[in-house]
Amino acid sequence: MKSKKFLYLFIVVTVLIVGVIGYFGYRTLSQESTLNEYQTQQLAKTRVAQTQDFILQQLGQKQIRLSAILAYLKLDPLSLNTLIAQDSDIEALFVLEHNKLVFPDAYNPLNQKESRFVELITPIIQDPAILIAKQHQSDDKRPDSGWYVMQEQQQPVLIYWHKLNNQIIGFKLSYVKLLSDIVSSIDFNYEPDSLIISDNGQVLYQSLTRAYDKTKQPTYNQALPFPLHAWKIDYYASNNSNYSLYYFTLALLAIAILAVGTIALSLYREFNRATRLASQQVSFVSQVSHELKTPLTNITLYAEMLKEMEQEEESQNTHYLEVIISESRRLSRLIQNVLTFTKSPKINLQPVDINQLLAQIHTIFTPVFEAKGIHLALSVEGHLNTHSDIDRITQIISNLLSNAEKYAPEGKKVQLSACQDDENIYIRVRDYGKGLPDKELKPIFQPFYRVKSEITEGVTGTGIGLTIALQLAQSLSGTPMAENRDNGLEFTLCLPRT
């Protein structure tokens, strides 16, 4: 019955996971589509603004040029006619003095072009104030120059005027020359998008040579300011279909759902067995550890009492008792490792003198190493200090030294060293044994993992010493690392200096 309930719960959880994946996939797809539309719109706005600035800059340059001409222009008929004939930007010009037309002189014979021009500007001659009507006016100053727009045979006429004392001089700008200068100077490449400049619906410029769909709405459009207010810029983004994005997302969702279903079936078959196995391992280790603590405490206590008695009698057995006590303490540490693996003690942060701590650890382990003919060397570069948990650091280093003692005794030498840089302190335990295959360096920190090789044959262990070292190091914001050397293996504990 319990198994069926677990099965139902597992099915519900699997369905929920698939649903969540599908929901977030849909949300991601929607957000991506919205983001693409927003980016396209912003790109269109930027490019339209860039084109508008360019057009207004071209018109502004012509305005500056016409203003500069006025600085040296003589207003006699010969000079004015010469200017009109030689300057391609100017189709015609007029001069009003005291609101009367003085050029072209309407009282003298005019050619056909001059007659049409006089007829065109008749409203200006009759009321010059209309020139100012379209200009921006402030309360304390009236403009003395600006643009005036008219229509002649359904074609716009741009007149730039300037007032000098009692005279008003107006230039009829060549509309064809303006268009030619703008079109020939535009070098924006927006492919595959298209940009169209039009005047009252008449296309003046198109960035692409191919025809565009007139029924399609532009991605973004904008009318130019006065005096080119009849101009409009339309930007058409290319048809970047989102179908590929939809299909790709749906394929990923299908793969994810299939993978979740496959994993769910596999996990269901393995979950109970793995759970029972892990529970048995933890329970067994914890029970054995608790059972061993009491007799081991008694062994250590009586060994210390015998050592005190032997010291009083100056016996030769003192050395053997020291080995017994050292081994008992090491066994206590191993048992404490097991208990630590099943519990999470609180961190006790305090100032730690690394030099003093390593010296104490070296003193404790030296007899054990000497009993196996191993020389334990200690070297520390400078005076190292940090703020950490001294018990956890001690346990990590003890685990690393215990591994070197058990698995690399044939090297006859183990180095315990420490150094630092600007950010970290590095404590290293280096043996001169046979080392490990590179593929075994990463999984050795996994729980209950033991390397299957000749160096572990005949050596007992729980397989959790390095796991505990990893957990303790991570709780101190540190990192344990293992690396093969030319001869042996080196473990490094990296700890922050502060």
Side-chain angles (χ1 to χ4, degrees), residues 279-340:
S279 178
Q280 290 172 357
Q281 287 177 332
V282 174
S283 177
F284 171 76
V285 170
S286 180
Q287 290 177 5
V288 170
S289 300
H290 280 288
E291 292 296 331
L292 290 176
K293 284 189 68 176
T294 300
L296 184 59
T297 301
N298 291 334
I299 292 172
T300 305
L301 177 62
Y302 280 101
E304 290 176 349
M305 292 172 60
L306 284 174
K307 179 182 176 182
E308 292 178 359
M309 295 171 61
E310 294 292 336
Q311 286 177 340
E312 293 177 357
E313 299 178 2
E314 299 181 357
S315 172
Q316 296 293 330
N317 297 328
T318 302
H319 173 71
Y320 302 112
L321 290 173
E322 288 177 351
V323 173
I324 293 173
I325 294 172
S326 177
E327 290 295 304
S328 299
R329 289 174 178 172
R330 189 165 71 89
L331 185 56
S332 297
R333 288 193 298 271
L334 292 175
I335 294 174
Q336 187 59 41
N337 284 347
V338 176
L339 295 176
T340 302

Side-chain angles (χ1 to χ4, degrees), residues 344-360:
S344 298
K346 295 182 180 180
I347 299 177
N348 180 25
L349 298 178
Q350 58 183 313
V352 180
D353 186 334
I354 298 297
N355 300 63
Q356 181 180 355
L357 176 61
L358 294 185
Q360 293 175 354

Side-chain angles (χ1 to χ4, degrees), residues 193-431:
D193 299 347
S194 177
L195 184 139
I196 298 174
I197 304 173
S198 60
D199 181 1
N200 285 323
Q202 181 180 0
V203 176
L204 304 177
Y205 170 80
Q206 180 180 347
S207 62
L208 292 181
T209 56
R210 65 173 182 270
Y212 70 97
D213 186 0
K214 296 183 179 180
T215 63
K216 179 183 176 183
Q217 291 296 322
T219 305
Y220 182 76
N221 58 57
Q222 181 172 311
L224 272 67
F226 182 84
L228 300 179
H229 51 283
W231 288 28
K232 188 175 69 169
I233 304 175
D234 295 315
Y235 188 91
Y236 295 85
S238 60
N239 292 324
N240 292 326
S241 177
N242 289 328
Y243 290 149
S244 59
L245 177 63
Y246 286 116
Y247 292 147
F248 179 72
T249 305
L250 290 176
L252 284 181
L253 287 176
I255 293 173
I257 291 173
L258 181 61
V260 169
T262 304
I263 294 173
L265 290 176
S266 300
L267 289 177
Y268 175 71
R269 285 185 296 209
E270 297 294 330
F271 182 77
N272 287 331
R273 186 182 65 83
T275 301
R276 285 195 301 268
L277 179 60
S279 178
Q280 290 172 357
Q281 287 177 332
V282 174
S283 177
F284 171 76
V285 170
S286 180
Q287 290 177 5
V288 170
S289 300
H290 280 288
E291 292 296 331
L292 290 176
K293 284 189 68 176
T294 300
L296 184 59
T297 301
N298 291 334
I299 292 172
T300 305
L301 177 62
Y302 280 101
E304 290 176 349
M305 292 172 60
L306 284 174
K307 179 182 176 182
E308 292 178 359
M309 295 171 61
E310 294 292 336
Q311 286 177 340
E312 293 177 357
E313 299 178 2
E314 299 181 357
S315 172
Q316 296 293 330
N317 297 328
T318 302
H319 173 71
Y320 302 112
L321 290 173
E322 288 177 351
V323 173
I324 293 173
I325 294 172
S326 177
E327 290 295 304
S328 299
R329 289 174 178 172
R330 189 165 71 89
L331 185 56
S332 297
R333 288 193 298 271
L334 292 175
I335 294 174
Q336 187 59 41
N337 284 347
V338 176
L339 295 176
T340 302
F341 182 71
T342 59
K343 299 178 181 179
S344 298
K346 295 182 180 180
I347 299 177
N348 180 25
L349 298 178
Q350 58 183 313
V352 180
D353 186 334
I354 298 297
N355 300 63
Q356 181 180 355
L357 176 61
L358 294 185
Q360 293 175 354
I361 295 175
H362 179 265
T363 301
I364 293 173
F365 275 85
T366 294
V368 179
F369 277 71
E370 288 180 349
K372 290 190 175 182
I374 304 173
H375 173 63
L376 178 59
L378 173 64
S379 63
V380 181
E381 297 181 7
H383 194 79
L384 314 183
N385 291 284
T386 186
H387 194 77
S388 189
D389 188 319
I390 190 170
D391 292 333
R392 293 194 174 205
I393 297 176
T394 302
Q395 189 170 354
I396 295 171
I397 303 304
S398 298
N399 286 2
L400 298 180
L401 288 173
S402 295
N403 274 2
E405 172 211 340
K406 289 191 296 184
Y407 301 116
E410 70 279 3
K412 302 301 180 180
K413 182 180 179 181
V414 173
Q415 290 179 333
L416 175 60
S417 62
C419 62
Q420 67 181 4
D421 57 20
D422 294 337
E423 298 180 355
N424 300 308
I425 292 176
Y426 303 93
I427 303 175
R428 295 183 173 89
V429 175
R430 174 152 164 27
D431 64 53

Side-chain angles (χ1 to χ4, degrees), residues 1-14 264-265 268-269 272:
M1 187 65 181
K2 184 176 180 180
S3 177
K4 289 185 178 181
K5 288 183 179 180
F6 176 76
L7 176 60
Y8 295 149
L9 177 62
F10 197 81
I11 293 175
V12 170
V13 171
T14 304
L265 290 176
Y268 175 71
R269 285 185 296 209
N272 287 331

Side-chain angles (χ1 to χ4, degrees), residues 39-49 195 219-220 235 237:
Q39 291 176 339
T40 301
Q41 187 76 7
Q42 291 301 115
L43 179 63
K45 288 182 179 181
T46 301
R47 290 179 171 177
V48 167
L195 184 139
T219 305
Y220 182 76
Y235 188 91

Side-chain angles (χ1 to χ4, degrees), residues 171-186:
F171 298 92
K172 179 185 177 184
L173 191 68
S174 173
Y175 191 72
V176 174
K177 182 64 165 53
L178 174 64
L179 289 179
S180 175
D181 290 345
I182 291 176
V183 172
S184 62
S185 301
I186 289 181

